């Protein structure tokens, strides 16, 4: 099993290996994965960074490994009314649900309870398989990791 311990420097060199990873794996710093070529990898990166589609890593033999967001089961909620989208984003965010936001739609990891809530707000829902790239968050550093705010369970009384 090859090891990956670091991000690759930005380069135009082509990746020799690809890891297709779900969001749940990409937000971990330590995990095992198999490349699209069938090779096993142990990933041990510094904590606090979420891997994004297109990121590049270096394995212990110096090869560039591309990160690809894997398709997963997602719920997409759409509305023509921006206020409906804002309400849904508010309620999902209040539950600390990672959200991918686009023009006229929101996407989150499929959950039938959240689907019922969002549909009850008046949005149109569709369950689909797609890569998931949620917002990094207001406290994310330039690299997509957390900086300056350790989020703990607490009430938002502001």
């Amino acid at each position: 099993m090859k090891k990956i311990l670091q991000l690759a420097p930005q380069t135009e060199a082509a990746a020799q290996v690809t890891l297709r990873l779900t969001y749940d794996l990409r937000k971990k710093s330590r995990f095992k994965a198999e490349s699209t070529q069938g090779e096993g990898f142990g990933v041990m990166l510094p904590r606090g960074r979420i891997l994004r589609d297109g990121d590049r890593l270096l394995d212990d033999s110096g090869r560039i490994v591309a990160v690809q967001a894997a398709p997963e089961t997602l719920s997409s909620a759409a509305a023509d009314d921006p206020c409906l989208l804002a309400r849904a984003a508010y309620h999902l965010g209040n539950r600390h649900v990672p959200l991918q936001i686009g023009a006229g739609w929101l996407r989150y990891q499929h959950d039938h309870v959240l689907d019922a809530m969002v549909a009850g707000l008046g949005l149109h829902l569709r369950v689909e398989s797609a890569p998931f790239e949620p917002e990094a968050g207001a406290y994310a550093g330039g690299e997509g990791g957390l900086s300056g705010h350790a989020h703990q369970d607490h009430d938002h009384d502001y």
Side-chain angles (χ1 to χ4, degrees):
M1 178 179 300
K2 291 287 188 183
K3 292 182 183 174
I4 295 175
L5 304 172
Q6 62 183 332
L7 296 168
Q10 292 298 329
T11 177
E12 293 183 21
Q16 293 104 337
V17 181
T18 301
L19 292 179
R20 188 172 294 137
L21 306 170
T22 63
Y23 175 68
D24 284 338
L25 274 181
R26 289 183 289 123
K27 66 184 180 181
K28 293 181 178 183
S29 59
R30 286 160 175 54
F31 58 89
K32 291 181 182 178
E34 188 173 296
S35 72
T36 56
Q37 295 81 5
E39 189 174 358
F41 285 86
V43 178
M44 294 162 276
L45 297 171
R47 297 188 193 286
R49 187 180 195 291
I50 296 173
L51 294 173
R52 297 294 183 176
D53 187 75
D55 279 349
R56 293 168 176 255
L57 310 170
L58 273 182
D59 75 6
D60 54 0
S61 66
R63 291 183 302 173
I64 297 173
V65 179
V67 174
Q68 187 178 71
E72 51 190 297
T73 304
L74 304 172
S75 294
S76 291
D80 293 331
D81 181 352
C83 289
L84 276 180
L85 284 171
R87 286 183 67 214
Y90 169 82
H91 287 289
L92 290 164
N94 199 39
R95 288 160 179 78
H96 299 267
V97 174
L99 284 179
Q100 184 175 352
I101 301 170
W105 57 268
L106 304 170
R107 184 179 286 157
Y108 53 92
Q109 291 172 310
H110 176 66
D111 179 289
H112 69 279
V113 173
L114 296 175
D115 287 352
M117 178 192 72
V118 170
L121 291 170
L123 282 81
H124 303 286
L125 276 169
R126 180 175 74 215
V127 176
E128 60 187 338
S129 179
F132 187 48
E133 284 288 348
E135 293 291 314
Y139 297 100
E143 307 249 347
L146 297 175
S147 67
H149 181 75
H151 206 124
Q152 301 165 353
D153 289 337
H154 58 269
D155 292 328
H156 293 268
D157 293 327
Y158 6 98

